[in-house]
Amino acid sequence: MYNTYIFDLYGTLIDIHTDEESPELWERLSYHFRYSGIPIEAGELKREFHEDIQLQMSAPRVACEHPDFDMEETFQVIAVRRGVMPRAGWTEETVRWFRQLSIRRLALYDGVEETLRSLKAQGKQVYLLSNGQRIFVEAELRVLGIDGYFDGIAISSNAGISKPDLLFYDYLATTYGADLSSAVMIGNDSRTDIEGARRAGIDGCYIHSNSSPDVQEVDCKFQIWDGDFKRVLELVG
């Protein structure tokens, strides 16, 4: 029925839990800054981090309804504010530190790799449309061994646009050649994934996972309420 399969990532393909409010995270990250010659305490780092993200979101790179920020830019601004221009690669390294310190669980849901492999074997086009930071997404796809299954990986921090914005679907089509006329969107969030698909005029497959928002009903063609990812191919294969 469909030639193009567009997947959400977190809560759909990847079972992840992070704690970005952990005092230990900010204390250790502040050591990373200080080791790099950038004097800052944990509380100050956390406050400026959130303030700079809000500044990016209030003056987005792309004129859109749902913008996204770039965490590398956030950390660079904090460093430059203290008179330090970070060396090449430092901001990417810092984003990796942030993520590694915040992760509490990271795994694929059962049936994910088998489903992606089956779709590719059938000659289907498979895309990722993810709200998230490029450095997180690319590393976690690689760590979990599914980075090679996608014909295009669209990440909101790169685009400056996030789901459910229609412009993010346009970005997927123009950047990676995704044929939206033959597409279905598979995701675990009724607003960002399913509402986004509706805006783009494509069918949706909702899967209620352990990280889905608490909703009782969803308006889309396909629905999986028991979290069994292996049923995706039964419904939309």
Side-chain angles (χ1 to χ4, degrees):
M1 179 184 296
Y2 302 101
N3 293 319
T4 303
Y5 289 74
I6 305 170
F7 289 93
D8 170 56
L9 183 59
Y10 297 114
T12 300
L13 304 179
I14 292 180
D15 181 11
I16 189 168
H17 175 64
T18 62
D19 182 1
E20 297 181 358
E21 298 301 314
S22 165
E24 184 180 21
L25 180 159
W26 294 102
E27 187 65 35
R28 291 187 177 184
L29 195 63
S30 73
Y31 279 119
H32 171 69
F33 271 74
R34 284 180 273 171
Y35 283 7
S36 303
I38 305 167
I40 191 166
E41 297 298 323
E44 185 181 17
L45 175 58
K46 180 180 179 182
R47 176 180 56 78
E48 290 191 22
F49 173 84
H50 290 296
E51 288 176 353
D52 285 321
I53 287 174
Q54 288 305 311
L55 285 173
Q56 282 193 54
M57 296 293 280
S58 64
R61 290 171 284 153
V62 178
C64 62
E65 184 180 357
H66 298 279
D68 201 6
F69 66 95
D70 184 336
M71 194 178 290
E72 285 192 80
E73 180 180 327
T74 298
F75 286 133
Q76 177 153 322
V77 166
I78 293 171
V80 169
R81 189 176 290 138
R82 284 158 179 78
V84 178
M85 176 56 70
R87 57 174 170 76
W90 182 85
T91 56
E92 182 166 342
E93 176 187 353
T94 304
V95 173
R96 289 181 186 275
W97 266 106
F98 176 89
R99 188 62 156 187
Q100 290 164 8
L101 291 170
S102 70
I103 283 179
R104 301 295 179 265
R105 182 176 66 251
L106 179 70
L108 292 177
Y109 288 105
D110 289 344
V112 165
E113 188 165 8
E114 295 84 351
T115 297
L116 297 176
R117 185 185 304 120
S118 176
L119 289 172
K120 296 305 297 177
Q122 296 173 47
K124 304 296 186 180
Q125 295 291 295
V126 180
Y127 295 93
L128 188 73
L129 191 68
S130 176
N131 288 355
Q133 297 294 306
R134 175 188 64 83
I135 294 168
F136 298 174
V137 172
E138 292 179 350
E140 287 153 11
L141 290 175
R142 186 171 59 253
V143 165
L144 295 173
I146 59 171
D147 52 316
Y149 289 108
F150 300 99
D151 296 285
I153 297 172
I155 305 170
S156 60
S157 69
N158 277 5
I161 312 164
S162 63
K163 294 176 293 182
D165 205 305
L166 175 59
L167 292 179
F168 198 19
Y169 287 82
D170 291 343
Y171 174 88
L172 178 68
T174 58
T175 305
Y176 298 102
D179 179 9
L180 300 186
S181 70
S182 68
V184 61
M185 174 77 203
I186 300 97
N188 78 305
D189 191 302
S190 61
R191 186 185 72 87
T192 58
D193 299 320
I194 304 307
E195 173 64 15
R198 187 192 64 77
R199 292 185 182 195
I202 65 178
D203 288 338
C205 176
Y206 173 76
I207 180 165
H208 190 81
S209 73
N210 58 344
S211 62
S212 293
D214 185 16
V215 295
Q216 302 302 314
E217 59 182 53
V218 176
D219 182 14
C220 66
K221 187 171 184 178
F222 307 106
Q223 303 182 20
I224 301 171
W225 285 91
D226 61 3
D228 185 358
F229 189 88
K230 295 186 290 295
R231 294 182 57 208
V232 168
L233 284 183
E234 297 175 14
L235 293 180
V236 299

